[in-house]
Amino acid sequence: MKAIKNQEDNLMEKISSLCKRRGFIFQGSEIYGGLAGTWDLGHFGVALRNNITQNWWKKFVDSRRDMYGVDAAILMRPEVWQASGHVEGFHDPLVECKKCHHRFRTDQIEDAKKCPDCGGGFGEVQQFNMMFKTHIGATEESTSISYLRPETAQGMFVNFKNTVDAFHPKIPFGMAQIGKAFRNEIAPRDFIFRVREFEQMEIEYFIRPTDWEKYFEYWKGEMLDWMEEVGIDMGKVHELEVSKEDRAHYSSRTIDFYFDFPFGNKELFGLAYRADFDLKTHKLDYIDEEEGGKTVPHVIEPTFGVGRALLAVLLSAYSEDPEGKQASDGAGEKEKRVYLKFKPSIAPVICAVSPLLKNKPELVEYANTKVYAPLKAEFGRVAWDDNGNIGKRYRRQDEIGTPFCIVVDFDTLSDDTVTVRDRDTGEQERIKVTDLKNYIKEKID
Ligand code: GAP
């Protein structure tokens, strides 16, 4: 049991150190000792995040006729959060150790009587509101209170009327938003899994009440399709029907999608039937011309955390060659090979271009002008890599998850072909320089 636990901790350690080493994810405010529950994305983290969010937007907004995008302000009037029930009910149960004063969420500790850090006893359970409170303007009076939004959803509900007035959508239709949300989590943990500042991708899909079960099933299927599309290991995804007692205050039914993270089977995304809770509480309605009259549509809400998507994609992609397996490209034969098996459509770098030797100007010139520049102009996500020997470059690109490494060698100068090396198999093929763009396009598709 202990051995398995060590392996799991080890995997998270490997992932987080790879993310730092290769410029995906850094601890927030690291040079000042770090700020718990915050993480910064480096160059490849931004690229991976953008590929994930763009893929989501393309599938759920751009390729549909019934979806309307929103990008609402993070700061909203406090009435929004009073109406939504978050001021009243967005609490987690908290206990504080009387000895070391560490604080815990009661549902996250094994023994509710003993502090896991020092063995001390706890004080009374308190309800802790997770919204970050702030003040608008120069005064700190109660009238100036505002909150950093704990979910993007309300930014869509408060723009429901604007969207209906501007676009006259027919039911069913949806609103979609990608943006930051903030929660003052009592115990942020597990790398980017539970953090205080994160991004959500959310849809509010407005339906007639009698159709809710049909659309609930429909959105469940759409969510699962998308997870597969971005490369989440579907063998590790499980559905959990959330009991009435555990559902959020606004939900009449919730399914959580869980993922087998190394630190446990934990929530990845959620699907809720919010019924008419939000539109009613904001006193909003809709004229349903087909049904003839004023009505309050019901809502199905598929919700995705961007950071959790990123972590699940990273964990699903993380691969090591079995011990002793020699890479067929001959690079670093005695070392264990680590590679991120991203789908080409999601990989932060689609291909890396190298001259075989960086001190041969004719190779550098050819690689730069005839291979790198046109590919960079076409795909953007193209790296120039001439650091170290070819084996080292392959290992570096493997860890970044680059599906193709293109090498310009002396044969290229005479026959205009290059070597393209496949990340997963290590196999190499000769491709004509003029065919490279189509070759890569096909792989992305
Ligand atoms: N609008 C509904 C809503 O916000 P939620 O289950 O509280 O529902 C939705 O959050 C998703 O946001 C979660 O499934 C998860 O992916 C992500 N999420 C929630 N809290 C998070 C946190 N503290 N850190 C990272 N991601 C979080």
Side-chain angles (χ1 to χ4, degrees):
M1 214 43 199
K2 203 167 175 193
I4 295 174
K5 174 94 183 68
N6 285 347
Q7 267 175 25
E8 289 160 354
D9 289 348
N10 205 357
L11 178 57
M12 282 312 288
E13 226 173 272
K14 284 179 185 172
I15 291 271
S16 59
S17 84
L18 185 153
C19 282
K20 182 174 159 110
R21 189 169 65 247
R22 293 296 174 209
F24 282 85
I25 304 171
F26 310 120
Q27 171 72 67
S29 311
E30 189 178 339
I31 60 165
Y32 288 103
L35 179 64
T38 66
W39 294 89
D40 298 342
L41 297 181
H43 184 68
F44 292 135
V46 176
L48 183 59
R49 189 273 316 269
N50 287 351
N51 292 342
I52 289 172
T53 54
Q54 281 161 13
N55 182 294
W56 187 92
W57 194 263
K58 192 170 163 199
K59 177 173 174 66
F60 293 124
V61 182
D62 287 347
S63 66
R64 301 178 62 111
R65 294 160 178 237
D66 58 350
M67 202 63 80
Y68 300 86
V70 173
D71 192 350
I74 287 172
L75 293 173
M76 290 194 251
R77 288 184 62 117
E79 289 93 325
V80 173
W81 304 109
Q82 276 145 14
S84 71
H86 284 81
V87 172
E88 187 66 30
F90 197 54
H91 293 117
D92 266 347
L94 170 147
V95 282
E96 185 172 325
C97 171
K98 287 185 192 158
K99 205 162 138 197
C100 69
H101 299 288
H102 288 175
R103 294 172 150 205
F104 303 91
R105 246 174 73 172
T106 51
D107 56 346
Q108 284 178 352
I109 44 177
E110 271 172 29
D111 185 346
K113 294 205 170 70
K114 211 163 70 185
C115 171
D117 290 350
C118 74
F122 290 125
E124 289 290 298
V125 177
Q126 303 163 37
Q127 290 302 323
F128 175 75
N129 192 300
M130 291 204 292
M131 283 199 293
F132 279 99
K133 214 185 240 181
T134 186
H135 289 269
I136 305 237
T139 58
E140 293 216 348
E141 291 159 11
S142 60
T143 50
S144 70
I145 286 176
S146 185
Y147 302 94
L148 300 186
R149 66 184 180 201
E151 60 167 8
T152 59
Q154 296 304 322
M156 289 179 272
F157 295 125
V158 299
N159 281 293
F160 175 80
K161 186 175 181 318
N162 287 333
T163 303
V164 169
D165 290 349
F167 305 105
H168 310 288
K170 299 263 173 298
I171 277 183
F173 70 93
M175 294 171 71
Q177 177 166 223
I178 300 178
K180 287 253 172 155
F182 302 81
R183 294 183 190 178
N184 199 358
E185 294 282 354
I186 297 164
R189 61 174 66 176
D190 297 321
F191 191 33
I192 57 170
F193 176 79
R194 187 179 306 287
V195 291
R196 291 188 167 126
E197 174 177 343
F198 55 100
E199 255 185 308
Q200 290 183 319
M201 306 180 279
E202 295 200 297
I203 292 167
E204 306 304 331
Y205 198 71
F206 301 99
I207 53 165
R208 296 200 174 95
T210 46
D211 289 337
W212 82 267
E213 277 160 316
K214 180 174 92 182
Y215 285 112
F216 196 88
E217 284 307 305
Y218 166 79
W219 279 106
K220 191 165 94 178
E222 288 291 284
M223 291 182 83
L224 290 166
D225 283 354
W226 182 79
M227 293 179 217
E228 192 163 8
E229 215 170 293
V230 291
I232 290 176
D233 180 349
M234 298 309 286
K236 293 188 171 163
V237 175
H238 314 279
E239 269 173 51
L240 178 109
E241 182 76 42
V242 181
S243 67
K244 195 164 182 246
E245 306 77 66
D246 289 337
R247 285 199 296 258
H249 60 276
Y250 49 72
S251 177
S252 299
R253 186 184 172 195
T254 300
I255 284 181
D256 280 342
F257 294 99
Y258 271 46
F259 183 81
D260 293 328
F261 290 99
F263 44 84
N265 184 22
K266 299 264 165 93
E267 181 188 337
L268 180 61
F269 308 133
L271 174 65
Y273 171 41
R274 292 178 82 127
D276 55 2
F277 179 89
D278 301 273
L279 292 188
K280 249 191 180 156
T281 194
H282 293 304
K283 300 186 174 49
L284 293 162
D285 53 32
Y286 171 88
I287 308 287
D288 190 341
E289 280 162 11
E290 278 170 36
E291 298 276 301
K294 220 183 234 187
T295 166
V296 179
H298 281 209
V299 178
I300 303 287
E301 178 189 68
T303 173
F304 305 71
V306 176
R308 289 191 191 174
L310 205 105
L311 186 55
V313 166
L314 276 165
L315 286 163
S316 304
Y318 185 88
S319 319
E320 286 176 2
D321 264 351
E323 210 133 321
K325 184 179 173 214
Q326 303 212 337
S328 57
D329 53 37
E333 282 176 357
K334 291 205 178 68
E335 292 165 28
K336 194 153 59 172
R337 186 169 86 97
V338 170
Y339 57 111
L340 294 176
K341 228 170 163 174
F342 293 130
K343 289 195 167 188
S345 55
I346 292 298
V349 178
I350 181 71
C351 63
V353 178
S354 291
L356 181 65
L357 300 168
K358 73 172 175 186
N359 58 359
K360 295 287 173 197
E362 63 276 34
L363 293 183
V364 175
E365 167 74 10
Y366 192 107
N368 198 5
T369 57
K370 297 199 173 153
V371 183
Y372 175 75
L375 291 179
K376 183 88 181 154
E378 180 75 25
F379 300 109
R381 302 183 274 138
V382 177
W384 173 263
D385 194 348
D386 61 3
N387 213 351
N389 63 32
I390 284 290
K392 288 232 163 61
R393 295 178 207 169
Y394 286 162
R395 288 296 161 270
R396 180 167 43 245
Q397 296 302 329
D398 282 345
E399 284 201 338
I400 294 164
T402 308
F404 310 106
C405 285
I406 300 170
V407 177
V408 169
D409 55 25
F410 290 103
D411 289 342
T412 312
L413 303 179
S414 55
D415 65 7
D416 292 309
T417 65
V418 286
T419 301
V420 179
R421 179 252 192 193
D422 182 278
R423 173 197 62 203
D424 302 340
T425 60
E427 277 163 18
Q428 304 181 4
E429 52 180 324
R430 293 298 289 189
I431 304 277
K432 276 184 162 174
V433 171
T434 47
D435 291 342
L436 274 175
K437 272 188 197 172
N438 280 342
Y439 177 87
I440 289 171
K441 262 188 199 152
E442 270 171 31
K443 300 284 181 183
I444 295 179
D445 289 343

